[in-house]
Amino acid sequence: MRNTVFEPPADPKCKSCHGYGFNLIARGEFSSAQKCSCIPLCPLCRGKGTRTIQNESGVRTGRCRCQKLPDRIQYFNNACLPAAQGQNSFETFKHVNKGATLAARSCAAWIQKYTTEKENKGLILSGDVGRGKTHLLIAIIRSLIFGQGARVRFIEFSRLLSTLRDGYSRGESNQKLMHELINVPILAIDELGKGRLTGWERTVIDDIVSGRYNSNGILLATTNYKWGSPQTKGVELTNLAENFDTQTLGDRVGERVFSRLQEMCYFAPIQGVDFRSNRSARLI
Ligand SMILES: [Zn+2]
Ligand SMILES: [Zn+2]
């Protein structure tokens, strides 16, 4: 998302931000952004960030429009994108084959729908490992934050489980994290359904998905599993060796969660070659 919506505008020829208006720094675990020095001092507020306007209806003081970029940078920094992947965007997504192009197109179509119709139906990207799903998920998140000013939280599924487990082992309730994941306007879960999926882990998925279902929150996700209802109804398919070919997302998360996901999300399969095995098109 090049800087066409922000004022004052970044220098389109800037060698540092390339016209985006911000630079990414991989500090620690998460990717964070900071405003680029090529952005000139705001002529409206002279850098104060607030303005007072006088017209026939009186005097009004409010935040200056130059605060839009710093606000969105803050949203980006709150999104908790992995440090190595914060730069993933639609511009850097490699269209290595038709499947990749179709997947990127589905994502762009979803953003368009979200922007114009304000619909709260999310999107699940499904495909085998190495198809660029996470790249596309992060590209969507960047576009939502910098283009739409949306508040988004990213979390990798197995990391979510380990964070909760660590919290419980320290005697913490994890209430704050769960509250954030349930109530943030857009939640993005990478690798949904990955891992052993014990009864407790399934309860975590259920709590998050049901919570978001009840609060009408938008859910974005990637998964290595095919879309589909549980094949063996009533049987807990836990502790099975992961088998991407035969197991469906429904098998992984259970019937109740899957039925909610069907209502809450569109589904986009990603086919094509493994980007990671294609050296000339190495993405992730
Ligand atoms: Zn710059
Ligand atoms: Zn200003």
Side-chain angles (χ1 to χ4, degrees):
M1 178 69 48
R2 284 257 170 6
N3 187 356
T4 50
V5 289
F6 302 119
E7 292 178 55
D11 176 1
K13 294 195 189 104
C14 174
K15 291 219 161 39
S16 178
C17 75
H18 306 283
Y20 283 91
F22 60 90
N23 296 303
L24 296 186
I25 19 171
R27 192 184 291 143
E29 194 180 344
F30 302 118
S31 179
S32 65
Q34 62 184 22
K35 203 168 120 182
C36 187
S37 56
C38 72
I39 296 180
L41 188 71
C42 173
L44 299 173
C45 70
R46 311 296 304 163
K48 253 171 51 199
T50 54
R51 283 176 73 201
T52 301
I53 301 167
Q54 189 159 16
N55 56 23
E56 299 101 52
S57 52
V59 179
R60 261 184 343 119
T61 301
R63 297 180 77 229
C64 180
R65 64 181 79 154
C66 66
Q67 296 304 297
K68 201 165 165 181
L69 178 61
D71 282 352
R72 291 179 184 190
I73 285 175
Q74 191 56 49
Y75 291 164
F76 181 88
N77 294 344
N78 294 341
C80 298
L81 297 178
Q85 290 166 303
Q87 82 289 355
N88 291 355
S89 66
F90 286 114
E91 284 99 331
T92 58
F93 184 72
K94 300 274 195 301
H95 293 250
V96 290
N97 58 31
K98 213 173 154 198
T101 300
L102 288 174
R105 231 182 257 164
S106 300
C107 296
W110 180 84
I111 292 173
Q112 178 70 18
K113 209 168 164 54
Y114 166 83
T115 311
T116 55
E117 297 174 24
K118 299 287 168 217
E119 192 186 26
N120 66 349
K121 204 161 172 174
L123 182 71
I124 296 184
L125 300 167
S126 146
D128 294 343
V129 176
R131 297 288 196 268
K133 300 185 296 292
T134 305
H135 185 120
L136 285 174
L137 181 65
I138 288 173
I140 293 176
I141 294 171
R142 280 178 53 126
S143 173
L144 291 173
I145 292 174
F146 288 108
Q148 308 299 322
R151 286 190 293 122
V152 189
R153 174 69 150 87
F154 173 97
I155 196 150
E156 199 263 317
F157 185 64
S158 38
R159 192 188 147 68
L160 159 70
L161 296 175
S162 63
T163 305
L164 291 174
R165 217 176 282 121
D166 290 351
Y168 288 127
S169 69
R170 284 196 305 268
E172 294 161 9
S173 71
N174 289 315
Q175 223 173 352
K176 194 165 163 261
L177 176 62
M178 287 300 278
H179 183 269
E180 185 192 354
L181 298 178
I182 288 170
N183 294 294
V184 66
I186 302 176
L187 176 68
I189 303 178
D190 195 25
E191 308 253 36
L192 179 65
K194 189 182 174 185
R196 285 173 60 233
L197 290 194
T198 60
W200 172 75
E201 290 170 349
R202 280 184 176 222
T203 309
V204 170
I205 305 180
D206 197 335
D207 288 349
I208 292 174
V209 172
S210 302
R212 297 196 64 79
Y213 179 85
N214 292 331
S215 64
N216 265 329
I218 295 177
L219 180 67
L220 303 173
T222 69
T223 182
N224 293 332
Y225 295 93
K226 291 189 178 74
W227 191 247
S229 303
Q231 293 163 355
T232 320
K233 288 192 177 164
V235 177
E236 287 270 311
L237 292 173
T238 52
N239 297 329
L240 293 179
E242 291 199 27
N243 187 332
F244 300 140
D245 290 334
T246 57
Q247 282 204 291
T248 63
L249 184 61
D251 290 330
R252 302 296 300 169
V253 299
E255 199 172 356
R256 178 183 143 94
V257 170
F258 184 69
S259 137
R260 294 217 154 132
L261 292 177
Q262 280 180 294
E263 276 189 58
M264 292 167 75
C265 301
Y266 293 103
F267 175 69
I270 300 181
Q271 277 112 22
V273 294
D274 182 345
F275 295 154
R276 280 186 275 216
S277 65
N278 185 345
R279 282 183 167 274
S280 63
R282 202 178 179 97
L283 272 189
I284 33 188

